[in-house]
Amino acid sequence: MVKMIMRLPYALINSMYFSSFNIKEHNLNKAELVAAIADESELSKAKAEHALNAALDAIKKSVTKGDNVQLIGFGTFSSGKRAARIGRNPKTGEAIKIAASKTVKFSAGKAFKDSVNKRKK
């Protein structure tokens, strides 16, 4: 009984700390990205959002046309093809035809990978 009482506060502190501060669960949304761009480039948030939208639109248009968009140090956006195939309906188990489609690919550049893995040059 005494051991349980002594361990309880430590367990509570750990659970509160890890549940409220878990970096892996946080996703940067567009508003936060716009704010970061505005702070870093000393632009207003409206101009930063306009610049971000323009960049994303240019990437979408290029990849839609079939071109690759290569950002040195960051990565490459490209399109790929998925072949038609036979799948299974998970509820009934019957075979269904899945049509061919196009997909978007992103390949991270070396500098980006090194940054994520915290490697030095």
Side-chain angles (χ1 to χ4, degrees):
M1 185 72 165
V2 173
K3 288 183 180 180
M4 184 61 114
I5 292 172
M6 293 183 73
R7 289 184 183 174
L8 185 62
Y10 181 74
L12 284 174
I13 291 169
N14 271 347
S15 66
M16 288 187 300
Y17 177 76
F18 288 114
S19 65
S20 64
F21 185 73
N22 190 345
I23 294 175
K24 290 183 179 181
E25 290 181 10
H26 181 71
N27 294 320
L28 185 71
N29 64 30
K30 188 174 178 181
E32 293 168 337
L33 182 58
V34 167
I37 292 169
D39 289 344
E40 189 69 29
S41 63
E42 298 178 2
L43 292 173
S44 68
K45 286 186 179 180
K47 287 184 180 181
E49 184 174 13
H50 182 71
L52 177 61
N53 287 337
L56 294 176
D57 288 342
I59 291 170
K60 286 179 201 173
K61 286 177 185 174
S62 294
V63 173
T64 300
K65 287 191 313 187
D67 297 335
N68 292 346
V69 178
Q70 184 177 21
L71 305 172
I72 303 296
F74 183 71
T76 303
F77 295 91
S78 61
S79 63
K81 295 179 182 178
R82 286 192 180 154
R85 60 195 186 278
I86 303 295
R88 293 244 174 242
N89 181 334
K91 193 171 187 179
T92 64
E94 74 176 288
I96 56 173
K97 292 181 183 177
I98 300 172
S101 63
K102 291 182 181 179
T103 187
V104 177
K105 296 187 212 174
F106 176 76
S107 177
K110 184 180 181 319
F112 188 24
K113 288 179 188 176
D114 289 347
S115 175
V116 169
N117 292 312
K118 294 181 176 60
R119 294 183 198 147
K120 294 184 181 180
K121 289 182 179 182

